Amino acid sequence: FDGAGHNVIGLKINRTSEDYIGLFDQISSGGMVFRLGMVNCDIYGGHHGTGSICARNYGTIKLCYNTGKVTGSSMGCSGGISGMVFSNGKITQCYNSGIIDNYHTGGSTATSYGGIAGRIYASGIAISDCYNIGLVKGKDEVGGIVGSGNFAIRNCYSLRESGHAIIGYMGARYLDASGLYFFKTSSYKRGAVNVFDDTEYGTALTDEQMQTEESFAEFDFDTVWTMGGNASYPYPELIGLSQEAPPEN
């Protein structure tokens, strides 16, 4: 599906009694959604996966973004772009500036919420060249980029504080990760921590450092990223996806 740079504006979905809620239920292996914006939408899903673009991604999501609110059950997984990512699924060159929230439904609350994806069980590089500036709410596996999972991640950053700035919970003994950056605050200084060996991932940057290209050593500022040309947003943004000023939510 080629969005051709168009936006879905003001879409409202309220299906709390159903699973796997998003613009698309599932992107299958070999499928792709690209060049599409979800603007000021309100996606309200049930158990399992809830995301703006899709609930379950086995394919590729590229050059997409979300500015609206995604709300899932306290027994599910919610993400700004995709609720869950499986198999060879990939999300690349995407961002979230919307709110990721949840409502309590009783039962287990060990759920996953992330600015880009809620939970990932995928091979290869599942997340690359993405960023989050939206608020991610939750009690358990809460991350600025991903809530939890077993996957590889490259070249991402988060400006907003959450449970963990990059990944909420790393249940795997090994995470293939590089080029991760997050905004350092007085109350939160860790990007992601492996629960098995306490290995930390991600580099904390001050606001001044966040506005300097040299701070993001692994980022490709020739073909993927750009910065310095947007007076309202002094941080790295994706070529082809101009970013407005950070939200105040």
Side-chain angles (χ1 to χ4, degrees):
F1 180 86
D2 182 1
H6 294 293
N7 298 322
V8 176
I9 302 174
L11 174 68
K12 295 185 182 300
I13 300 176
N14 188 347
R15 296 183 178 179
T16 57
S17 62
E18 300 179 34
D19 297 332
Y20 309 120
I21 300 301
L23 180 65
F24 300 99
D25 169 348
Q26 177 176 303
I27 300 173
S28 298
S29 178
M32 175 182 284
V33 175
F34 64 110
R35 298 197 297 172
L36 181 67
M38 299 292 288
V39 177
N40 298 330
C41 299
D42 193 352
I43 313 296
Y44 215 89
H47 298 336
H48 303 302
T50 304
S52 70
I53 296 293
C54 72
R56 298 173 289 182
N57 177 34
Y58 293 82
T60 299
I61 303 173
K62 182 177 181 178
L63 289 171
C64 294
Y65 64 93
N66 172 60
T67 71
K69 188 174 183 179
V70 175
T71 305
S73 158
S74 61
M75 297 175 66
C77 306
S78 301
I81 301 298
S82 178
M84 296 181 286
V85 182
F86 295 103
S87 187
N88 293 315
K90 295 177 176 60
I91 301 176
T92 184
Q93 292 169 251
C94 295
Y95 76 81
N96 173 69
S97 62
I99 297 173
I100 313 305
D101 204 352
N102 67 94
Y103 60 93
H104 184 63
T105 55
S108 172
T109 58
T111 51
S112 303
Y113 309 98
I116 300 299
R119 183 171 292 167
I120 299 179
Y121 292 107
S123 58
I125 301 174
I127 304 289
S128 62
D129 298 304
C130 293
Y131 67 95
N132 174 63
I133 59 174
L135 180 62
V136 184
K137 300 180 180 180
K139 291 178 60 179
D140 297 298
E141 300 165 358
V142 181
I145 301 297
V146 179
S148 68
N150 182 9
F151 58 98
I153 181 171
R154 296 281 188 278
N155 306 342
C156 296
Y157 77 89
S158 179
L159 282 182
R160 293 300 299 265
E161 237 179 281
S162 58
H164 281 82
I166 302 295
I167 303 164
Y169 179 84
M170 292 160 50
R173 294 186 180 276
Y174 175 73
L175 178 78
D176 184 359
S178 64
L180 306 181
Y181 300 91
F182 61 96
F183 182 51
K184 181 178 181 179
T185 69
S186 59
S187 60
Y188 189 79
K189 302 176 182 178
R190 307 180 92 180
V193 181
N194 192 310
V195 297
F196 289 104
D197 60 12
D198 207 38
T199 300
E200 293 192 36
Y201 298 85
T203 301
L205 300 176
T206 65
D207 187 64
E208 182 178 2
Q209 290 173 321
M210 278 279 188
Q211 300 182 42
T212 304
E213 185 176 311
E214 288 74 18
S215 297
F216 301 87
E218 299 88 344
F219 284 26
D220 178 355
F221 283 99
D222 293 323
T223 63
V224 178
W225 296 91
T226 185
M227 70 186 304
N230 185 344
S232 66
Y233 191 80
Y235 312 105
E237 55 187 335
L238 294 162
I239 294 174
L241 293 181
S242 181
Q243 176 63 57
E244 298 179 355
E248 297 180 356
N249 52 48

